[in-house]
Amino acid sequence: MAIKEIPTEEYYLPGSAACPGCPATMALRIVFKAIGKKMIMIVPACCTAVIESLHPNTSFNIPTMNIAFEAAAAGASGVEAALRKQGKDDITVVAWAGDGGTYDIGIQALSGALERNTNFIYICYNNQIYSNTGIQRSGATPKYAAWTTTTVGGKTEYRKEMGEIIQAHHIPYAAQACISYPEDLYKKIKKAKEIKGPKYIEIMAPCPPGWRFGMEKTVEMGTLSVETGAWALYEYENDEIKFNGISKLLLEEKINPKPIEDWIKFQGRFRHLFIPKKDVKKLKEIQDHTNLIWKRYRKCYL
Amino acid sequence: MKKYNVKTTISYPMKGATGKTGNWRVFRPILNKEKCVKCLRCWIFCPEATVIRKDDDSIDIDYDYCKGCGICANVCKIKAITMKREGIEK
């Protein structure tokens, strides 16, 4: 599909409180276009709670409910049950949470909702950091990335693979997308809308203030994260995984991934690996870990 | 707009909920309409929905709300959009 086929309707109104170059609003626009007016959003504490702007105005032309940090999926379950009771089955319920509200704080409610077979779409926009509260580490932060309260050297643990935790629930549809590939994201949301049962979509969202890069580079950083293999685009359907786009070519080894250094050298959060002198050992460790993940992907899904 | 009589805090949709965000801008995107090939990459990637898509797929920029992030200029493959510093006249 081409960009021209994406509808022109805007349910995101300009003039919100988002930072310039925000990947979350970019993704929100595409989600709104794909699902249309007939949707209800559930937003826990995350950047989107700020992007909605202050009472009495909001920049979303969509019914939205704000809820506590850990309760996005639980709130969505409640809304879905209420709609079912009223016989309104043409309304899509979307829980929209950040990576903190999905990987760390919201995982219990999410796991419960998926297990109960709730008919909703859970979208996690993953910027690998708690951006809203001023850049703290989350379960999605990669190894050696620094944040504002780091002492020295950045994170010492690897990030977790949420996609694989979701697959363990045997839900009808799950996918990973990236804001740099809007057609792919649009297609995945559209597909999820048609399927009944719990759906999970995770969107890679490079955050300019969180990752410390220039605000005009958001799209570029997303593309690089896929091309270097730091992020994979795939669809999970009926217990089968299909990689798509560049990730498919990487999986089948038709193209070589770019070195991970190409991606991290633009990010201020990894600056301590380059200044005062290049830390070759740590860079190699990151590269080796990425290779290991892809080796496992090939073993399991090829 | 329909107002709801509910006993909870409720916000209503409004363009410019945080005010005219155009005054955040340091660099202003300038579109060269002759160069534009209507690929719409700037429209789909604009985080603020300020690149307006017209019926014939030509575009317009809403300077009242454009925050000047420069993504449109960066994703434009033929460099039809350039960023110029605000306030400097030639």
Side-chain angles (χ1 to χ4, degrees), chain A residues 250-269:
Chain A
L250 287 179
L251 186 81
E252 292 168 353
E253 289 176 292
K254 282 184 181 154
I255 54 168
N256 288 325
K258 287 185 180 171
I260 199 92
E261 200 187 318
D262 284 7
W263 181 55
I264 63 179
K265 72 183 171 196
F266 293 111
Q267 299 173 33
R269 60 177 180 165

Side-chain angles (χ1 to χ4, degrees), chain A residues 5-209:
Chain A
E5 290 163 40
I6 298 176
T8 42
E9 284 86 26
E10 295 284 353
Y11 300 114
Y12 168 81
L13 305 172
S16 75
C19 308
C22 179
T25 53
M26 226 185 259
L28 267 170
R29 283 183 62 216
I30 297 162
V31 170
F32 288 167
K33 281 172 195 296
I35 300 179
K37 184 85 178 158
K38 288 220 163 212
M39 67 183 276
I40 295 177
M41 285 254 291
I42 319 295
V43 180
C46 62
C47 277
T48 308
V50 176
I51 294 166
E52 280 166 20
S53 311
L54 295 170
H55 179 75
N57 301 322
T58 172
S59 53
F60 294 174
N61 202 355
I62 292 276
T64 308
M65 183 174 84
N66 287 106
I67 200 159
F69 214 151
E70 65 279 15
S77 301
V79 171
E80 192 266 340
L83 288 171
R84 188 155 26 92
K85 193 78 187 160
Q86 292 176 20
K88 294 177 182 167
D89 51 2
D90 58 337
I91 297 169
T92 315
V93 180
V94 178
W96 174 275
D99 60 294
T102 308
Y103 280 63
D104 303 340
I105 299 173
I107 191 167
Q108 173 274 127
L110 171 60
S111 181
L114 297 180
E115 191 267 331
R116 284 191 305 270
N117 228 10
T118 311
N119 182 21
F120 79 130
I121 308 177
Y122 191 101
I123 302 176
C124 163
Y125 66 104
N126 178 1
N127 53 19
Q128 302 195 325
I129 212 115
Y130 284 88
S131 283
N132 185 19
T133 46
I135 334 286
Q136 289 86 22
R137 84 190 273 282
S138 79
T141 311
K143 195 167 182 179
Y144 296 127
W147 60 95
T148 46
T149 51
T150 329
T151 46
V152 75
K155 195 179 169 182
T156 49
E157 300 84 17
Y158 292 113
R159 72 174 179 91
K160 55 176 161 182
E161 288 270 331
M162 195 63 185
E164 295 183 12
I165 299 174
I166 298 298
Q167 285 157 34
H169 290 80
H170 303 290
I171 59 170
Y173 187 79
Q176 281 195 175
C178 176
I179 49 109
S180 309
Y181 302 92
E183 302 102 315
D184 179 61
L185 172 61
Y186 181 83
K187 225 159 54 188
K188 283 171 178 166
I189 306 266
K190 202 92 184 154
K191 197 167 178 182
K193 192 193 162 195
E194 305 303 326
I195 296 169
K196 211 170 149 51
K199 282 86 64 178
Y200 177 87
I201 293 167
E202 191 166 337
I203 305 168
M204 165 55 80
C207 169

Side-chain angles (χ1 to χ4, degrees), chain A residues 241-243 247-254 294-302:
Chain A
I241 292 209
K242 270 190 206 132
F243 278 63
S247 296
K248 192 181 178 193
L249 300 175
L250 287 179
L251 186 81
E252 292 168 353
E253 289 176 292
K254 282 184 181 154
W294 280 89
K295 212 172 144 191
R296 195 176 67 194
Y297 282 161
R298 281 185 199 112
K299 210 165 136 193
C300 298
Y301 310 132
L302 199 65

Side-chain angles (χ1 to χ4, degrees), chain A residues 143-144 152-154 260 264 272-273 278-288:
Chain A
K143 195 167 182 179
Y144 296 127
V152 75
I260 199 92
I264 63 179
H272 58 93
L273 299 181
K278 203 162 147 182
D279 198 331
V280 184
K281 205 176 141 215
K282 283 181 179 171
L283 284 170
K284 192 174 177 299
E285 200 187 327
I286 299 174
Q287 183 66 60
D288 286 350

Side-chain angles (χ1 to χ4, degrees), chain A residues 4 14-15 18 25 29 56 58 216, chain B residues 14 16 38 46-47 53 67 74:
Chain A
K4 282 188 192 337
T25 53
R29 283 183 62 216
T58 172
E216 75 282 359
Chain B
M14 197 188 101
K38 303 179 182 179
C46 176
R53 178 181 172 182
K67 289 171 182 170
N74 212 25

